[in-house]
Amino acid sequence: MADNPNPGTLNDNSERLFSFGVIADIQYADLEDGYNFQGSRRRYYRHSLLHLQGAIEDWNKESSTPCCVLQLGDIIDGYNAQHKTSEKSLELVMNTFKMLKVPVHHTWGNHEFYNFSRDYLTRSKLNTRFLEDRIVHHPETIPSENYYAYHFVPFPKFRFILLDAYDLSVLGVDQSSPKYQQCMKILREHNPNTELNSPQGLSEPQFVQFNGGFSQEQLNWLNEVLTFSDTNQEKVVIVSHLPIYPEASDSVCLAWNYRDALAVIWSHKCVVCFFAGHTHDGGYSEDPFGVHHVNLEGVIETAPDSQAFGTVHVYPDKMMLKGRGRVPDRIMNYKKEKALDF
């Protein structure tokens, strides 16, 4: 059959395999509206919960129910910690998620760590590692307990990998621990500023305290899973709070060692899509290896009369993001196997 020259439209009739929901940066707090750190963009702390309710209602009534929802991190705002409302706010948001008819996979972002320690999160309902799938006879694909990452198969031949972008971080870890010392050393080597959240004057502006990175141990594990997926002709979707591709993101919002993560991904052919949050602005770019990097617009900076979530419809040859409100529609074709020139 000849390739269809038309890249497709969002009411495409070819065989839909399954779909999944995406939402990012809810950052709920029981507070009056405020602004971001630069004072340039409004944040709707209370309304974010109504946005979440609207998204859940939409997903629940879609004609083909999504198989799951990916929550891309920053579920409640850091202000909750100052107001001693972290647990109450988290409970409110988690109770809202109970209305959803399908499982939700939770990613951890910087705001999770402003509110809770890593130990607390591991014991909390935000730890959805129990939803992981194990690959029989491949122990190298089982993640370590040292970071919060796992993979699962929502549909045959599609594997989703949830990464821990704060595996290397000074947030949420005990300041007396070797890990904290190691991460503070990395941060200070790249950021001489007194205010470690400031990227001022940095040649690598991602080295700020509100970001983090991937340990070598986690990257080695990712490499093993992608090797398995390559061998078994799987298509892979990766999920992380922090983006890793500069063309799709504000340079300040990238993971510390985004280049290392890209190097692992680019050494395999199975990765189709990389979903991240964190930037609030959203962003998109297809990299030279055909991986689609989607940074989802944040709920927290979405006006009450708009929305910010999406449903991704998966087809044999592409994924189609149907965005709502300020999340745009996107068509993400899978890269074609390069034909050999004779």
Side-chain angles (χ1 to χ4, degrees), residues 4-57:
N4 182 355
N6 178 353
T9 57
L10 282 177
N11 54 1
D12 198 286
N13 293 326
S14 68
E15 176 202 3
R16 181 165 53 182
L17 304 175
F18 69 101
S19 63
F20 59 95
V22 283
I23 193 164
D25 299 274
I26 299 164
Q27 287 184 221
Y28 171 74
D30 184 11
L31 289 175
E32 297 297 322
D33 294 352
Y35 285 87
N36 63 344
F37 296 111
Q38 292 76 37
S40 58
R41 290 207 300 272
R42 201 169 177 92
R43 291 188 167 176
Y44 305 91
Y45 295 106
R46 282 198 188 106
H47 206 93
S48 65
L49 197 64
L50 297 175
H51 280 322
L52 174 61
Q53 287 168 0
I56 290 171
E57 283 164 22

Side-chain angles (χ1 to χ4, degrees), residues 36-85:
N36 63 344
F37 296 111
Q38 292 76 37
S40 58
R41 290 207 300 272
R42 201 169 177 92
R43 291 188 167 176
Y44 305 91
Y45 295 106
R46 282 198 188 106
H47 206 93
S48 65
L49 197 64
L50 297 175
H51 280 322
L52 174 61
Q53 287 168 0
I56 290 171
E57 283 164 22
D58 244 51
W59 285 319
N60 281 344
K61 64 174 193 261
E62 280 191 22
S63 54
S64 64
T65 314
C67 68
C68 64
V69 167
L70 308 176
Q71 188 276 111
L72 302 174
D74 286 3
I75 197 168
I76 63 170
D77 196 86
Y79 274 127
N80 285 290
Q82 296 170 29
H83 293 276
K84 307 271 190 292
T85 52

Side-chain angles (χ1 to χ4, degrees), residues 89-337:
S89 290
L90 180 61
E91 192 174 2
L92 196 57
V93 178
M94 296 308 270
N95 282 339
T96 304
F97 264 113
K98 280 182 186 164
M99 294 158 33
L100 185 66
K101 293 175 182 170
V102 299
V104 54
H105 295 265
H106 292 293
T107 312
W108 299 349
N110 45 315
H111 284 262
E112 276 75 12
F113 293 110
Y114 296 153
N115 284 288
F116 306 110
S117 69
R118 180 170 281 270
D119 288 344
Y120 182 98
L121 288 170
T122 303
R123 296 189 304 270
S124 77
K125 289 192 172 75
L126 285 176
N127 180 350
T128 46
R129 193 173 149 175
F130 66 91
L131 295 169
E132 74 179 340
D133 285 309
R134 293 280 174 104
I135 303 171
V136 186
H137 307 313
H138 284 273
E140 76 282 1
T141 64
I142 299 171
S144 145
E145 298 291 333
N146 295 335
Y147 47 84
Y148 172 61
Y150 63 91
H151 52 87
F152 64 99
V153 178
F155 190 89
K157 296 293 181 188
F158 285 86
R159 190 169 300 278
F160 285 31
I161 304 175
L162 191 139
L163 293 182
D164 183 350
Y166 289 84
D167 180 8
L168 297 181
S169 168
V170 295
L171 305 176
V173 277
D174 192 325
Q175 297 194 2
S176 63
S177 68
K179 182 110 183 223
Y180 177 88
Q181 309 292 337
Q182 175 207 356
C183 294
M184 186 52 86
K185 183 168 181 280
I186 294 169
L187 186 55
R188 288 202 185 281
E189 276 170 3
H190 294 87
N191 186 339
N193 295 328
T194 315
E195 172 47 77
L196 287 171
N197 274 325
S198 168
Q200 195 175 351
L202 304 188
S203 59
E204 294 194 278
Q206 78 272 18
F207 281 98
V208 285
Q209 191 166 282
F210 57 77
N211 293 337
F214 310 99
S215 67
Q216 193 55 51
E217 183 189 21
Q218 186 181 181
L219 292 172
N220 292 346
W221 165 78
L222 174 63
N223 190 53
E224 295 290 1
V225 180
L226 296 181
T227 300
F228 178 88
S229 291
D230 274 350
T231 307
N232 291 277
Q233 282 85 52
E234 294 179 337
K235 290 191 166 41
V236 172
V237 170
I238 299 180
V239 186
S240 157
H241 182 62
L242 296 180
I244 60 164
Y245 191 55
E247 301 297 313
S249 168
D250 171 341
S251 62
V252 176
C253 286
L254 294 160
W256 287 353
N257 58 339
Y258 69 87
R259 290 184 190 88
D260 296 340
L262 283 174
V264 172
I265 290 167
W266 287 348
S267 68
H268 297 275
K269 59 178 189 292
C270 53
V271 181
V272 169
C273 220
F274 190 105
F275 283 96
H278 196 53
T279 62
H280 298 181
D281 268 355
Y284 167 82
S285 184
E286 182 181 351
D287 72 29
F289 293 82
V291 179
H292 300 272
H293 296 263
V294 180
N295 290 357
L296 214 66
E297 288 71 9
V299 170
I300 183 62
E301 287 176 14
T302 301
D305 61 354
S306 185
Q307 257 297 8
F309 68 99
T311 303
V312 181
H313 300 281
V314 180
Y315 295 85
D317 60 337
K318 62 181 166 297
M319 293 190 183
M320 298 164 76
L321 168 60
K322 179 78 184 80
R324 315 293 208 292
R326 67 193 199 103
V327 175
D329 293 345
R330 301 200 185 278
I331 296 171
M332 299 169 283
N333 292 306
Y334 307 151
K335 50 188 176 283
K336 301 265 188 295
E337 291 296 325

